[in-house]
Amino acid sequence: MTESSSSLFDLDAERRVVGSGILNPACLSTVAHSLDASHFHDTTLRNVYDILVLMHSVGRDVSDLAQVKRELEIERKEFDAAELARCIDSVSSSTQIEHYASRVIRSHELRRIDAAIMRARSELDEPGADPESVKLNLESRISSSESVDSGIREFNEVLRDSIDSMRESTSAPETVVSFGIPAIDEQFGRLFAGDLCIVGARPGVGKSKFGEQVAMHNGRQGRRVLIISIEMQHEKYGSRAILSEANVDGRRIRTGQSLSRSDWDKLEESRQRIASLPIGVQFRRKRQSVGAIRSLAKMYSSRHSGDLKLLIIDYLQLIRAENLRSPRHEQVTQISADLKSLALELNIPILAMCQLNRSAANDKPTMSQLRESGSIEQDADEVILLHRPDMFSGSSEKSEDAVISVQKFRDSCTGEISIKWDPLRGFCTPTFNFGSEWEPS
């Protein structure tokens, strides 16, 4: 290999980055924001680095190679013990990881430029090649980069893409994420790629149930959904979904009442009907950062060939801030801004549940009661607040009345929807027929 070609493939630097990450997992945090797995040329090392960053972001021990192997096997990627041993042996001190990361990025950029030059040479060989076009194409390819992107696009290109997006959403409405509650979908609109939708409520009002409704509806339409819960365990999501589908009152189980043979048959039939829905649920009792959520969403999407259509987070205030020393309102401000950036990066809508301040208990909630930060409403494209007046009225008689207050909906209107609450089915309009709407497609 010549000197010029070796600079395009810096295997030594790639090994040292991976080795440093295994020996000292904490140093991964110093490079993960700038060094992406796509910067690696070696496929094995690229896969390992991706897994290391993911495991570290969710608090897993990346120095445990047995765990690394299991994660790679889940992703159906090869585990090369000998190569990892070479990575570890190549490291004398993990403090140099930033230096080696910069070398990996440099080689990646050189490969990208080399590919652009090769493409230009191919264009020059075409009959009637226009030198000016070849030059402009070369400049465009060299200036464009995953790591450095000006984001500037010509207005005609912006308009063309906008028309294409509008045409797609109207000609194929089934591809656009919707709430599954006609009163919202038809009066206000649906969720588009890059949207951050905040659903706020006091504890016990039903925001988790609302998120479950949206997930189940979209899953039935064939849209892949990932639910990341920092509050509710896998089994609780599963049991609620089965009970709702079977129309069996879960309170009978909680109070120790026995279920009939018919009830168990309905539960099993319901489980089989919804088992194939494209929905993933991730629960971890430890609070996770937006960076960890990003890694999980990208891993899940990659596992399903980039098919993720909706990310649901339950709930915003339980997300761990990157800087725990800053005031709480600043932490939540950064979290909401990062969630919006994540929606744009993943190019999918994010539905984030959110707690309201205690002052929302007696009156209809407003955006000012979004807990701990006024910036949430600024970052969000949509803000939906849930309210069940009977919960706070002090009356012993409980009604089914509920209110969905659409406080913000970009490019649409605002308003309130009078709706009914059912402990099994969640929020539904009096004229809403769950039976026909929730049949598997």
mmCIF file of all heavy atoms in Angstrom, residues 239-265:
data_model
loop_
_atom_site.group_PDB
_atom_site.id
_atom_site.type_symbol
_atom_site.label_atom_id
_atom_site.label_comp_id
_atom_site.label_asym_id
_atom_site.label_seq_id
_atom_site.Cartn_x
_atom_site.Cartn_y
_atom_site.Cartn_z
ATOM 1 N N SER A 239 -49.650 -5.870 29.141
ATOM 2 C CA SER A 239 -50.915 -6.263 29.761
ATOM 3 C C SER A 239 -52.022 -5.267 29.452
ATOM 4 O O SER A 239 -53.170 -5.648 29.188
ATOM 5 C CB SER A 239 -50.741 -6.412 31.280
ATOM 6 O OG SER A 239 -50.347 -5.183 31.870
ATOM 7 N N ARG A 240 -51.687 -3.974 29.440
ATOM 8 C CA ARG A 240 -52.698 -2.965 29.117
ATOM 9 C C ARG A 240 -53.193 -3.112 27.690
ATOM 10 O O ARG A 240 -54.384 -2.966 27.405
ATOM 11 C CB ARG A 240 -52.131 -1.562 29.354
ATOM 12 C CG ARG A 240 -52.107 -1.188 30.821
ATOM 13 C CD ARG A 240 -51.315 0.055 31.125
ATOM 14 N NE ARG A 240 -51.632 1.184 30.292
ATOM 15 C CZ ARG A 240 -51.591 2.456 30.707
ATOM 16 N NH1 ARG A 240 -51.275 2.709 31.962
ATOM 17 N NH2 ARG A 240 -51.852 3.440 29.898
ATOM 18 N N ALA A 241 -52.260 -3.399 26.772
ATOM 19 C CA ALA A 241 -52.654 -3.572 25.369
ATOM 20 C C ALA A 241 -53.565 -4.782 25.194
ATOM 21 O O ALA A 241 -54.574 -4.729 24.478
ATOM 22 C CB ALA A 241 -51.416 -3.706 24.491
ATOM 23 N N ILE A 242 -53.225 -5.894 25.864
ATOM 24 C CA ILE A 242 -54.040 -7.105 25.746
ATOM 25 C C ILE A 242 -55.408 -6.904 26.374
ATOM 26 O O ILE A 242 -56.444 -7.282 25.799
ATOM 27 C CB ILE A 242 -53.316 -8.300 26.407
ATOM 28 C CG1 ILE A 242 -52.034 -8.635 25.646
ATOM 29 C CG2 ILE A 242 -54.232 -9.522 26.459
ATOM 30 C CD1 ILE A 242 -51.168 -9.682 26.335
ATOM 31 N N LEU A 243 -55.452 -6.314 27.570
ATOM 32 C CA LEU A 243 -56.724 -6.077 28.244
ATOM 33 C C LEU A 243 -57.628 -5.162 27.426
ATOM 34 O O LEU A 243 -58.842 -5.386 27.321
ATOM 35 C CB LEU A 243 -56.475 -5.475 29.629
ATOM 36 C CG LEU A 243 -55.858 -6.421 30.672
ATOM 37 C CD1 LEU A 243 -55.342 -5.626 31.864
ATOM 38 C CD2 LEU A 243 -56.882 -7.459 31.120
ATOM 39 N N SER A 244 -57.032 -4.126 26.837
ATOM 40 C CA SER A 244 -57.805 -3.201 26.017
ATOM 41 C C SER A 244 -58.377 -3.904 24.793
ATOM 42 O O SER A 244 -59.549 -3.740 24.453
ATOM 43 C CB SER A 244 -56.921 -2.027 25.583
ATOM 44 O OG SER A 244 -57.634 -1.160 24.730
ATOM 45 N N GLU A 245 -57.541 -4.700 24.127
ATOM 46 C CA GLU A 245 -57.975 -5.422 22.936
ATOM 47 C C GLU A 245 -59.080 -6.415 23.260
ATOM 48 O O GLU A 245 -60.025 -6.593 22.489
ATOM 49 C CB GLU A 245 -56.774 -6.137 22.313
ATOM 50 C CG GLU A 245 -57.083 -6.996 21.107
ATOM 51 C CD GLU A 245 -57.411 -6.182 19.866
ATOM 52 O OE1 GLU A 245 -57.075 -4.985 19.855
ATOM 53 O OE2 GLU A 245 -57.984 -6.752 18.928
ATOM 54 N N ALA A 246 -58.953 -7.067 24.423
ATOM 55 C CA ALA A 246 -59.923 -8.104 24.802
ATOM 56 C C ALA A 246 -61.157 -7.542 25.500
ATOM 57 O O ALA A 246 -62.137 -8.264 25.715
ATOM 58 C CB ALA A 246 -59.246 -9.124 25.721
ATOM 59 N N ASN A 247 -61.105 -6.250 25.860
ATOM 60 C CA ASN A 247 -62.189 -5.604 26.594
ATOM 61 C C ASN A 247 -62.439 -6.305 27.935
ATOM 62 O O ASN A 247 -63.574 -6.563 28.319
ATOM 63 C CB ASN A 247 -63.475 -5.573 25.761
ATOM 64 C CG ASN A 247 -64.460 -4.538 26.289
ATOM 65 O OD1 ASN A 247 -64.066 -3.552 26.915
ATOM 66 N ND2 ASN A 247 -65.738 -4.770 26.050
ATOM 67 N N VAL A 248 -61.346 -6.614 28.625
ATOM 68 C CA VAL A 248 -61.417 -7.235 29.942
ATOM 69 C C VAL A 248 -60.916 -6.230 30.975
ATOM 70 O O VAL A 248 -59.850 -5.629 30.800
ATOM 71 C CB VAL A 248 -60.566 -8.525 29.996
ATOM 72 C CG1 VAL A 248 -60.505 -9.061 31.430
ATOM 73 C CG2 VAL A 248 -61.131 -9.579 29.055
ATOM 74 N N ASP A 249 -61.673 -6.051 32.039
ATOM 75 C CA ASP A 249 -61.341 -5.055 33.065
ATOM 76 C C ASP A 249 -60.141 -5.524 33.880
ATOM 77 O O ASP A 249 -60.205 -6.524 34.611
ATOM 78 C CB ASP A 249 -62.544 -4.837 33.980
ATOM 79 C CG ASP A 249 -62.365 -3.634 34.892
ATOM 80 O OD1 ASP A 249 -61.219 -3.142 35.010
ATOM 81 O OD2 ASP A 249 -63.356 -3.192 35.489
ATOM 82 N N GLY A 250 -59.021 -4.800 33.769
ATOM 83 C CA GLY A 250 -57.806 -5.176 34.475
ATOM 84 C C GLY A 250 -57.896 -5.004 35.975
ATOM 85 O O GLY A 250 -57.092 -5.581 36.724
ATOM 86 N N ARG A 251 -58.854 -4.234 36.461
ATOM 87 C CA ARG A 251 -58.994 -4.042 37.902
ATOM 88 C C ARG A 251 -59.334 -5.352 38.604
ATOM 89 O O ARG A 251 -59.022 -5.532 39.779
ATOM 90 C CB ARG A 251 -60.078 -2.994 38.179
ATOM 91 C CG ARG A 251 -59.643 -1.572 37.832
ATOM 92 C CD ARG A 251 -60.762 -0.586 37.960
ATOM 93 N NE ARG A 251 -61.821 -0.838 36.973
ATOM 94 C CZ ARG A 251 -62.867 -0.030 36.782
ATOM 95 N NH1 ARG A 251 -62.986 1.057 37.514
ATOM 96 N NH2 ARG A 251 -63.772 -0.324 35.863
ATOM 97 N N ARG A 252 -59.928 -6.270 37.888
ATOM 98 C CA ARG A 252 -60.264 -7.575 38.477
ATOM 99 C C ARG A 252 -58.987 -8.353 38.806
ATOM 100 O O ARG A 252 -58.936 -9.087 39.797
ATOM 101 C CB ARG A 252 -61.150 -8.356 37.515
ATOM 102 C CG ARG A 252 -62.528 -7.731 37.348
ATOM 103 C CD ARG A 252 -63.258 -8.313 36.152
ATOM 104 N NE ARG A 252 -63.393 -9.750 36.235
ATOM 105 C CZ ARG A 252 -63.826 -10.518 35.237
ATOM 106 N NH1 ARG A 252 -64.145 -9.944 34.076
ATOM 107 N NH2 ARG A 252 -63.925 -11.825 35.387
ATOM 108 N N ILE A 253 -57.963 -8.170 37.981
ATOM 109 C CA ILE A 253 -56.690 -8.839 38.254
ATOM 110 C C ILE A 253 -55.984 -8.178 39.424
ATOM 111 O O ILE A 253 -55.436 -8.838 40.306
ATOM 112 C CB ILE A 253 -55.807 -8.819 36.994
ATOM 113 C CG1 ILE A 253 -56.481 -9.608 35.865
ATOM 114 C CG2 ILE A 253 -54.422 -9.387 37.284
ATOM 115 C CD1 ILE A 253 -55.725 -9.568 34.554
ATOM 116 N N ARG A 254 -55.992 -6.847 39.435
ATOM 117 C CA ARG A 254 -55.321 -6.118 40.516
ATOM 118 C C ARG A 254 -55.942 -6.407 41.878
ATOM 119 O O ARG A 254 -55.251 -6.408 42.901
ATOM 120 C CB ARG A 254 -55.379 -4.613 40.241
ATOM 121 C CG ARG A 254 -54.334 -4.145 39.236
ATOM 122 C CD ARG A 254 -54.325 -2.621 39.155
ATOM 123 N NE ARG A 254 -53.211 -2.143 38.371
ATOM 124 C CZ ARG A 254 -51.996 -1.921 38.853
ATOM 125 N NH1 ARG A 254 -51.747 -2.175 40.123
ATOM 126 N NH2 ARG A 254 -51.032 -1.468 38.074
ATOM 127 N N THR A 255 -57.251 -6.620 41.904
ATOM 128 C CA THR A 255 -57.936 -6.858 43.179
ATOM 129 C C THR A 255 -58.002 -8.335 43.536
ATOM 130 O O THR A 255 -58.645 -8.719 44.522
ATOM 131 C CB THR A 255 -59.368 -6.283 43.126
ATOM 132 O OG1 THR A 255 -60.064 -6.838 41.987
ATOM 133 C CG2 THR A 255 -59.326 -4.764 43.005
ATOM 134 N N GLY A 256 -57.339 -9.180 42.747
ATOM 135 C CA GLY A 256 -57.265 -10.597 43.072
ATOM 136 C C GLY A 256 -58.473 -11.413 42.689
ATOM 137 O O GLY A 256 -58.624 -12.563 43.124
ATOM 138 N N GLN A 257 -59.370 -10.843 41.879
ATOM 139 C CA GLN A 257 -60.542 -11.589 41.439
ATOM 140 C C GLN A 257 -60.143 -12.567 40.342
ATOM 141 O O GLN A 257 -59.301 -12.267 39.504
ATOM 142 C CB GLN A 257 -61.621 -10.636 40.909
ATOM 143 C CG GLN A 257 -62.099 -9.628 41.939
ATOM 144 C CD GLN A 257 -63.134 -8.684 41.353
ATOM 145 O OE1 GLN A 257 -64.089 -9.112 40.705
ATOM 146 N NE2 GLN A 257 -62.942 -7.387 41.580
ATOM 147 N N SER A 258 -60.767 -13.710 40.337
ATOM 148 C CA SER A 258 -60.457 -14.710 39.320
ATOM 149 C C SER A 258 -61.147 -14.369 38.008
ATOM 150 O O SER A 258 -62.226 -13.767 37.990
ATOM 151 C CB SER A 258 -60.897 -16.096 39.794
ATOM 152 O OG SER A 258 -62.303 -16.114 40.027
ATOM 153 N N LEU A 259 -60.509 -14.754 36.907
ATOM 154 C CA LEU A 259 -61.083 -14.560 35.588
ATOM 155 C C LEU A 259 -61.682 -15.869 35.109
ATOM 156 O O LEU A 259 -61.194 -16.962 35.411
ATOM 157 C CB LEU A 259 -60.017 -14.092 34.597
ATOM 158 C CG LEU A 259 -59.342 -12.749 34.889
ATOM 159 C CD1 LEU A 259 -58.327 -12.424 33.796
ATOM 160 C CD2 LEU A 259 -60.354 -11.633 35.011
ATOM 161 N N SER A 260 -62.742 -15.741 34.338
ATOM 162 C CA SER A 260 -63.409 -16.925 33.811
ATOM 163 C C SER A 260 -62.604 -17.526 32.669
ATOM 164 O O SER A 260 -61.704 -16.890 32.117
ATOM 165 C CB SER A 260 -64.812 -16.558 33.313
ATOM 166 O OG SER A 260 -64.714 -15.702 32.183
ATOM 167 N N ARG A 261 -62.939 -18.747 32.326
ATOM 168 C CA ARG A 261 -62.288 -19.397 31.181
ATOM 169 C C ARG A 261 -62.504 -18.582 29.921
ATOM 170 O O ARG A 261 -61.604 -18.441 29.076
ATOM 171 C CB ARG A 261 -62.860 -20.814 31.006
ATOM 172 C CG ARG A 261 -62.329 -21.576 29.797
ATOM 173 C CD ARG A 261 -60.857 -21.880 29.962
ATOM 174 N NE ARG A 261 -60.328 -22.567 28.803
ATOM 175 C CZ ARG A 261 -59.054 -22.897 28.657
ATOM 176 N NH1 ARG A 261 -58.190 -22.596 29.626
ATOM 177 N NH2 ARG A 261 -58.628 -23.524 27.586
ATOM 178 N N SER A 262 -63.671 -18.001 29.800
ATOM 179 C CA SER A 262 -63.974 -17.178 28.630
ATOM 180 C C SER A 262 -63.077 -15.949 28.576
ATOM 181 O O SER A 262 -62.609 -15.550 27.501
ATOM 182 C CB SER A 262 -65.447 -16.748 28.672
ATOM 183 O OG SER A 262 -65.724 -15.827 27.637
ATOM 184 N N ASP A 263 -62.829 -15.339 29.739
ATOM 185 C CA ASP A 263 -61.945 -14.169 29.787
ATOM 186 C C ASP A 263 -60.533 -14.536 29.343
ATOM 187 O O ASP A 263 -59.902 -13.815 28.573
ATOM 188 C CB ASP A 263 -61.905 -13.589 31.198
ATOM 189 C CG ASP A 263 -63.174 -12.851 31.567
ATOM 190 O OD1 ASP A 263 -63.852 -12.359 30.640
ATOM 191 O OD2 ASP A 263 -63.490 -12.778 32.770
ATOM 192 N N TRP A 264 -60.021 -15.672 29.858
ATOM 193 C CA TRP A 264 -58.669 -16.086 29.477
ATOM 194 C C TRP A 264 -58.583 -16.399 27.986
ATOM 195 O O TRP A 264 -57.568 -16.112 27.348
ATOM 196 C CB TRP A 264 -58.233 -17.289 30.305
ATOM 197 C CG TRP A 264 -57.857 -16.940 31.710
ATOM 198 C CD1 TRP A 264 -58.488 -17.298 32.855
ATOM 199 C CD2 TRP A 264 -56.755 -16.119 32.115
ATOM 200 N NE1 TRP A 264 -57.871 -16.766 33.961
ATOM 201 C CE2 TRP A 264 -56.794 -16.042 33.535
ATOM 202 C CE3 TRP A 264 -55.755 -15.436 31.444
ATOM 203 C CZ2 TRP A 264 -55.856 -15.316 34.273
ATOM 204 C CZ3 TRP A 264 -54.812 -14.716 32.180
ATOM 205 C CH2 TRP A 264 -54.872 -14.661 33.578
ATOM 206 N N ASP A 265 -59.631 -16.974 27.440
ATOM 207 C CA ASP A 265 -59.657 -17.252 25.999
ATOM 208 C C ASP A 265 -59.599 -15.946 25.209
ATOM 209 O O ASP A 265 -58.877 -15.840 24.210
ATOM 210 C CB ASP A 265 -60.919 -18.033 25.623
ATOM 211 C CG ASP A 265 -60.865 -19.482 26.106
ATOM 212 O OD1 ASP A 265 -59.752 -19.947 26.421
ATOM 213 O OD2 ASP A 265 -61.935 -20.125 26.157
#
